[in-house]
Amino acid sequence: MRSFLLGVLLLAAVVPAVQGRSIPQPGQPVSIGTTPAPPPGGAGYRPAVNWQLQCAGCHLEDGRGARANDVPRLQGFVGRFLEVDGGREFLLRVPGVSQSALSDAETAALLNWIIADGMAGASRPADFQPFTEAEVARLRHQALLDLPGTRAKLIGAIRARGFAIEDGLAP
Amino acid sequence: MKLLDRLFEGSTRRMAAVTSRRTALARIGSWVVAGSALPLLLPIDRVAGRADAAEAGRPGDPGDPSKCDYWRYCSIDGFLCTCCGGSINTCPPGAEVSLVTWVGTCHNPADDKDYIVAYNDCCGKHSCAQCACTRNDSEQPMYRPFNNNDINWCLGAKANVYNCTVAVIRGVAS
């Protein structure tokens, strides 16, 4: 009798954990007509679609950023980084760019789209040279060890050039 | 019993006296043939017996938005707002949508296109705990946080308590 009770107690202790583990129905059918998702890199999407899939979740659709989560504003400002030494390399090495699932060519196309196709707005430098696949390949693997420090230095340099800091984070 | 016997005998004799048996047989035969052929010829909706008869949804948008296998939920991880007092793209009353979110693609079987779907979380109310779904078609590992659905995306809302998830179409992926 005692072992039976112990068994029941053991089951009562284990069952919720097992259910919790498999909380969405195990053996749940796949969606109607589903196909395996294409790999994020090399899917051949337009830069605007890659923006949506890789960036817009946090920087938001129009690139205005999310102040509450320290997500910087890109809209109308991101081009200022190209005005200062090290800024171009910085844009290729920030985690969202360097660690994205996109290929080097797609990353270059996406950055060019951001700078030259409207999002950077007036912050686009007059002499903007498009990013190239080889440039992305060379720089994205150099880890940025001190992200806040590097960024603060660059922001200081941009300010020294006389540009307003409209990254959505500046006090 | 006798009454029934008499009734049927009478009616049968009357029928035999009035009609020619061949005519009667021919007529009955033709009615049987026409009657059984009629349902096949008439334009009736015959979906009811087929395997996909249970499939709900509007034309071009197949499936039931309150079920995990609905096509827009191909990368969802959480509770469906359609089961929690909201809808496929609106939060339940009193819950706040987190603008910061993650975005994936889902394949619509109706038009064979991939759509960009944002899985915004609804926040600020207690966990809804209805229609728990985990499907990870275009999800990426945690080291790519912007493509991961195990994160509590309520981090973008005022209150970080997770309630449920919506699936908003942002465009066509091409």
Side-chain angles (χ1 to χ4, degrees):
Chain A
M1 190 63 195
R2 184 179 286 177
S3 62
F4 173 73
L5 276 177
L6 275 176
V8 168
L9 268 178
L10 187 73
L11 272 180
V14 163
V15 162
V18 171
Q19 277 186 336
R21 212 156 238 279
S22 62
I23 195 169
Q25 306 81 340
Q28 170 180 292
V30 294
S31 67
I32 311 150
T34 194
T35 49
Y45 291 144
R46 291 170 287 136
V49 171
N50 281 332
W51 162 263
Q52 287 261 19
L53 296 177
Q54 305 293 328
C55 321
C58 297
H59 289 285
L60 303 192
E61 275 190 275
D62 56 359
R64 69 178 187 276
R67 177 76 188 88
N69 298 103
D70 293 336
V71 180
R73 179 189 185 93
L74 303 185
Q75 191 190 57
F77 179 74
V78 68
R80 297 294 185 219
F81 283 102
L82 299 172
E83 304 276 4
V84 295
D85 279 346
R88 190 178 173 96
E89 291 74 17
F90 176 76
L91 292 186
L92 292 174
R93 292 170 68 197
V94 288
V97 173
S98 66
Q99 295 170 25
S100 81
L102 301 175
S103 69
D104 296 334
E106 284 172 324
T107 307
L110 177 57
L111 287 167
N112 291 332
W113 179 84
I114 290 172
I115 301 291
D117 262 6
M119 187 162 296
S123 73
R124 175 196 167 168
D127 58 347
F128 170 61
Q129 298 290 317
F131 292 94
T132 63
E133 183 181 352
E135 191 183 6
V136 175
R138 184 161 47 83
L139 284 163
R140 79 187 290 183
H141 299 297
Q142 299 178 16
L144 197 57
L145 295 180
D146 179 16
L147 173 65
T150 311
R151 190 173 194 284
K153 224 176 279 174
L154 290 169
I155 290 288
I158 293 170
R159 187 178 280 122
R161 287 282 310 270
F163 295 115
I165 306 301
E166 292 158 332
D167 64 350
L169 306 180
Chain B
M1 214 62 209
K2 227 172 199 173
L3 191 78
L4 272 180
D5 265 355
R6 216 178 298 152
L7 183 76
F8 279 106
E9 192 193 339
S11 61
T12 313
R13 282 183 189 282
R14 210 175 314 126
M15 186 69 85
V18 172
T19 70
S20 128
R21 279 168 204 181
R22 288 177 192 178
T23 314
L25 280 177
R27 283 210 186 129
I28 292 166
S30 60
W31 277 115
V32 166
V33 171
S36 58
L38 213 56
L40 296 176
L41 297 173
L42 289 176
I44 297 169
D45 182 6
R46 292 183 183 81
V47 170
R50 292 214 310 254
D52 55 353
E55 188 178 308
R58 294 164 295 166
D61 185 14
D64 179 357
S66 59
K67 296 266 164 51
C68 293
D69 61 1
Y70 180 56
W71 68 273
R72 285 189 222 183
Y73 296 146
C74 74
S75 300
I76 207 163
D77 183 351
F79 306 119
L80 306 181
C81 283
T82 40
C83 300
C84 305
S87 77
I88 179 109
N89 49 19
T90 53
C91 288
E96 177 206 0
V97 69
S98 168
L99 290 181
V100 170
T101 182
W102 87 278
V103 185
T105 58
C106 287
H107 187 78
N108 183 352
D111 59 7
D112 229 18
K113 284 180 182 160
D114 289 327
Y115 284 82
I116 304 169
V117 182
Y119 295 98
N120 294 75
D121 283 344
C122 298
C123 318
K125 286 174 72 178
H126 272 285
S127 196
C128 158
Q130 301 294 312
C131 301
C133 301
T134 300
R135 301 186 41 206
N136 306 314
D137 283 12
S138 58
E139 193 213 11
Q140 293 274 302
M142 190 70 98
Y143 56 79
R144 289 198 173 115
F146 29 85
N147 290 127
N148 186 276
N149 66 13
D150 299 323
I151 292 170
N152 177 6
W153 284 98
C154 278
L155 56 86
K158 278 191 210 81
N160 294 353
V161 182
Y162 169 73
N163 179 232
C164 63
T165 304
V166 296
V168 182
I169 290 188
R170 290 262 189 97
V172 178
S174 59

